[in-house]
Amino acid sequence: MLNKILVALDDSGIADRVIETVHRLVLPSDGKIIFCHVFPTSNSLDDLPCDRPHPEPSATLYQQVEKQLQLYQSELRVDSDIELVTGDPAEEIIRLGNIYKADLIVIGSRGLTGMTRIVKGSVSSQVVEDAPCSVLVVKPG
């Protein structure tokens, strides 16, 4: 039975599909959902130019993400928490899955293929490989 579900969200367009999927899952009344967002550290920001300093997330960005997660929280019929962390996305999602003893991790896939997937890596693939529980990957489209 699914009692604790960790829902990993980022700022990609797939977040709404992930939330729709979570709403379709059947949870017991004493179940819990943990929404998490990982702000990548400078080391994991592959899209930023290497000739400029890499900024850490601003307080405004934290507040925007927290506000969005609180909106998702308000739509639930079960207990929930929010985790905003900084670090390597896959490592932090796996770490939170261990901390909360999650029964399931729900994560979106950016749909990268070919060389882009090799160069940028796939957070969802790494989570599937190393997670302490089952992982539901929501694909785009």
Side-chain angles (χ1 to χ4, degrees):
M1 180 179 287
L2 300 176
N3 287 318
K4 290 183 184 172
I5 299 175
L6 177 68
V7 181
L9 298 167
D10 61 12
D11 55 0
S12 69
I14 191 122
D16 289 335
R17 283 187 52 99
V18 171
I19 293 300
E20 288 173 19
T21 301
V22 169
H23 283 296
R24 290 187 188 130
L25 297 174
V26 177
L27 287 171
S29 58
D30 63 342
K32 183 172 200 163
I33 292 180
I34 302 95
F35 291 111
C36 78
H37 181 95
V38 181
F39 296 96
T41 56
S42 300
N43 297 344
S44 59
L45 292 174
D46 297 329
D47 294 333
L48 291 177
C50 61
D51 61 344
R52 293 188 203 115
H54 296 184
E56 293 299 322
S58 68
T60 304
L61 180 58
Y62 274 100
Q63 290 170 347
Q64 289 172 345
V65 170
E66 184 176 37
K67 194 176 207 176
Q68 182 63 49
L69 296 182
Q70 287 171 341
L71 178 64
Y72 294 143
Q73 238 184 340
S74 69
E75 299 170 354
L76 296 175
R77 287 182 256 146
V78 296
D79 189 28
S80 63
D81 283 336
I82 292 176
E83 287 281 352
L84 300 175
V85 296
T86 301
D88 177 77
E91 289 175 11
E92 291 301 315
I93 292 165
I94 293 163
R95 184 180 68 82
L96 289 170
N98 281 311
I99 289 171
Y100 281 97
K101 295 180 175 49
D103 300 308
L104 178 70
I105 295 174
V106 181
I107 188 169
S109 171
R110 293 180 289 177
L112 301 178
T113 58
M115 203 57 172
T116 306
R117 184 179 180 130
I118 293 169
V119 172
K120 289 190 174 187
S122 170
V123 172
S124 59
S125 292
Q126 187 176 346
V127 171
V128 167
E129 186 69 30
D130 299 332
C133 60
S134 296
V135 179
L136 173 59
V137 179
V138 178
K139 295 190 173 207

